[in-house]
Amino acid sequence: MDEPIPVTRAVDHGTAKLMPDIDRERAWLLTVDGAPQSYVDLDEPGHLEFEYTRRLGHVLDIFVEPGRALDVLHLGGGALTLPRYVAATRPGSRQDVVEADGALLDLVVEHLPVPADAGIALHGADARAWLESAPGGSADVLIADVFGGSRVPAHLTSLEFAREAERVLRPGGVYLANLADAAPFAFLRSQLATFAAVFEESALVAEPGVLRGRRFGNAVLVASHRPFDTAALARRTAADAFPARVEHGDTLRLLVGDARPVHDEDAVPSPEPPDGAFGIG
């Protein structure tokens, strides 16, 4: 049997590479300009390799009873890791995936296709533009995992964007975002303040080393109008290979401090990661 070989292709926003995992027969790592973007196991879509995707999966698992089909809007596609996860764990779900890089979508569809009956619709479009045109109250879950290069684009960080997210979500829905920052957390604190101005409940999931300011890293923002089981989420994230903490309530307010919501006119992208922050060995 032929061994799978890496695939390299110029896409709209850089150079994408699909690399097979030698330890898992049909598993692939997607990088763009050398930065890891997604990991997919075609035989085991419930497997979430990256820690931040595991944390997003934990929120999905505890926020809604297991197995219930959901309407999910994904802003940012990558190799479609989370759409595949939702399709596997919640059959019958309807999912829209919005990815600005059409050539990247083409690459993924060609080499890592999703089953035709998975209920996943792919759209090549700008995330903010798509969100603004989406029907109100049409999603149970909205997941924002959009990086232009290695930075969250500014137009996906503002109060106006947060209000659009709230409009598209159903009353009991949840907003999830993959963010990245380092101490003193100017970007992260502004995001927490921005979404707290729109949603009644919020939490942050991140590794203790990141929260203590020791290194640059990912943080998952959770926002909703409905209270959720932060204790159950904390138990799950603490049991991971790379444990994470869940900040909410008073500790989250302390982190936010005097940060204010940001508007479109003063929004900025997330900070540039230091060299090697998201590299692979």
Side-chain angles (χ1 to χ4, degrees), residues 52-78:
Y52 87 86
T53 59
R54 287 180 60 80
R55 291 163 195 157
L56 290 166
H58 290 324
V59 178
L60 289 170
D61 291 345
I62 67 104
F63 199 82
V64 184
E65 61 270 20
R68 190 184 119 196
L70 298 171
D71 291 334
V72 185
L73 174 57
H74 302 262
L75 302 181

Side-chain angles (χ1 to χ4, degrees), residues 65-71 83-95 117-120:
E65 61 270 20
R68 190 184 119 196
L70 298 171
D71 291 334
R84 298 172 202 265
Y85 178 80
V86 171
T89 59
R90 298 178 178 276
S93 293
R94 295 181 300 181
Q95 302 185 78
D117 60 353
I120 300 171

Side-chain angles (χ1 to χ4, degrees), residues 84 145 211 228 280:
R84 298 172 202 265
D145 186 11
L211 292 170
F228 47 92
I280 53 175

